[in-house]
Amino acid sequence: MKKTLLAVSLLVPGLALAQAPVSGLSSSGDVEKRLDQIERMLEARSSAQLNMMDQLNSVQQDVAELRGITEEHAYQLEQLLQRQRELYQEIDRRFNQLKDNNSQSNDAGAGYSNMQQVPTQADGSSYSASLSENDAYDKAIALVLEDKRYDAAIPAFQSFLESFPNSTYAPNAHYWLGQLFFAQQEYDKAEQQFMTVVKDYPDSNKRGDCLLKLGAIANDQGNTADAKRYYEQVISEYPDSTEANLAKQRLN
C-alpha cells in the first residue's frame, strides 16, 4: 500500500508539469488567430480605401471631361449663333439696298443725288457701296453658310480678296478661308489666313477666334510653347469671351 501511495505521489507532479505547457500553447494560438484576423481586417480596409480613391479619381476625370465637352458645345453654339447673326446681317443689308435702289429710282426725276446710303454691320464696319463687291462677298459667304459647298467656297473667297483686297469684308474673308483650310487640316494655309486677321485687322470681331485657332494649330504640330502663348493672349485680350474660356481649358 505504501509503495502504491509513493508511486502515485511521484506521478502527480509529473502530470502537472506535463499539462502546464499545453495551456500556454493554446493561449498563444488564440493570440495568433486574433493577429491574423486584425491583419486581414487592415488589409480589407486598405483595399477598400484604394478602391474608393480609384473611384474618386475616375469621377474627377469624368467631371473634367464633361466640363470640357460642355465648354466645347458652348463654343460651337456661339459659332452657330454668330453665323446666324451674319445671315441676318446679310438679309438686312440686301433689304436696305433694295429700299435704297427704289428710293433712288423714285427721286431721280426730282433731281436728288443718287448717293447710296450705306448700312452698318454689327461690328461697326460699314458695308461696301459697291454692288459688285457686295455681290461677290454674298456669293462666297452663301457657299459656306447656306449651300455648305466648302470646296467651292475656298476659290470664291480667294477670288474676292484678289478683286477687292481693301474691302471692308477682307478680315471676314481671311477668317473664313482660315476656317475652311483648318477643317481640311491644311494647317499651314489656315495659319497664314488667321495670322493675317490677327496682325492686319486688330478690330475684327473674328480676331479672338483666330488666336484660339492659331493655338490649336501650334498644339497639333507639337509647338506647345507657341500654343500656350496664343492661349494666354486670348485670355489677356478677350477675358470675358467664349474663346477665353476655351483657352483656359486647353491650358489646363
Side-chain angles (χ1 to χ4, degrees):
M1 182 66 178
K2 291 182 179 180
K3 291 182 179 180
T4 302
L5 291 174
L6 179 60
V8 171
S9 65
L10 291 174
L11 287 173
V12 169
L15 291 173
L17 291 173
Q19 291 176 354
V22 174
S23 176
L25 289 173
S26 177
S27 177
S28 176
D30 290 342
V31 171
E32 290 181 357
K33 288 181 180 179
R34 291 179 182 178
L35 288 176
D36 289 340
Q37 291 176 351
I38 293 173
E39 288 179 355
R40 287 195 294 268
M41 291 173 61
L42 290 175
E43 290 177 356
R45 179 175 298 179
S46 177
S47 178
Q49 290 176 342
L50 290 175
N51 289 335
M52 187 177 298
M53 289 297 296
D54 290 340
Q55 293 176 1
L56 180 59
N57 290 335
S58 178
V59 169
Q60 290 176 338
Q61 184 177 357
D62 291 342
V63 170
E65 291 177 357
L66 288 174
R67 185 182 294 113
I69 292 173
T70 300
E71 292 285 349
E72 189 67 29
H73 286 174
Y75 174 70
Q76 292 174 356
L77 177 60
E78 178 62 26
Q79 291 287 92
L80 178 61
L81 291 175
Q82 177 62 29
R83 293 179 183 180
Q84 289 179 339
R85 286 193 291 269
E86 290 176 349
L87 282 174
Y88 293 146
Q89 291 168 15
E90 296 296 328
I91 293 172
D92 182 66
R93 179 174 62 79
R94 295 179 189 183
F95 175 78
N96 282 320
Q97 283 181 344
L98 179 61
K99 181 175 65 174
D100 292 340
N101 290 337
N102 290 337
S103 176
Q104 289 171 11
S105 298
N106 293 333
D107 294 340
Y112 289 102
S113 172
N114 61 357
M115 178 71 69
Q116 186 180 19
Q117 181 182 357
V118 180
T120 303
Q121 296 189 59
D123 61 0
S125 60
S126 298
Y127 287 110
S128 172
S130 170
L131 293 179
S132 60
E133 180 181 340
N134 289 330
D135 185 59
Y137 183 77
D138 287 345
K139 290 180 179 178
I141 200 69
L143 289 170
V144 177
L145 300 179
E146 298 175 9
D147 301 335
K148 313 297 183 186
R149 296 175 57 196
Y150 304 126
D151 291 340
I154 291 176
F157 279 116
Q158 289 173 331
S159 177
F160 172 81
L161 288 170
E162 290 176 0
S163 300
F164 308 98
N166 299 319
S167 170
T168 186
Y169 307 126
N172 282 11
H174 285 293
Y175 168 79
W176 284 113
L177 276 173
Q179 290 280 47
L180 292 166
F181 286 131
F182 184 84
Q184 294 181 352
Q185 297 183 346
E186 296 186 48
Y187 293 140
D188 290 340
K189 295 180 180 179
E191 181 181 10
Q192 181 181 359
Q193 300 299 326
F194 290 138
M195 189 63 71
T196 298
V197 178
V198 170
K199 290 185 175 180
D200 296 345
Y201 304 97
D203 297 328
S204 172
N205 62 352
K206 301 291 193 298
R207 188 172 179 273
D209 191 35
C210 288
L211 284 169
L212 187 69
K213 288 297 193 306
L214 287 171
I217 292 172
N219 186 67
D220 288 343
Q221 293 178 337
N223 300 326
T224 55
D226 288 343
K228 180 181 178 181
R229 177 170 56 84
Y230 284 125
Y231 291 149
E232 289 177 343
Q233 187 175 355
V234 174
I235 296 170
S236 174
E237 297 184 14
Y238 305 94
D240 299 324
S241 66
T242 302
E243 290 82 3
N245 290 333
L246 285 172
K248 292 176 183 177
Q249 174 193 330
R250 295 178 184 180
L251 278 175
N252 292 334

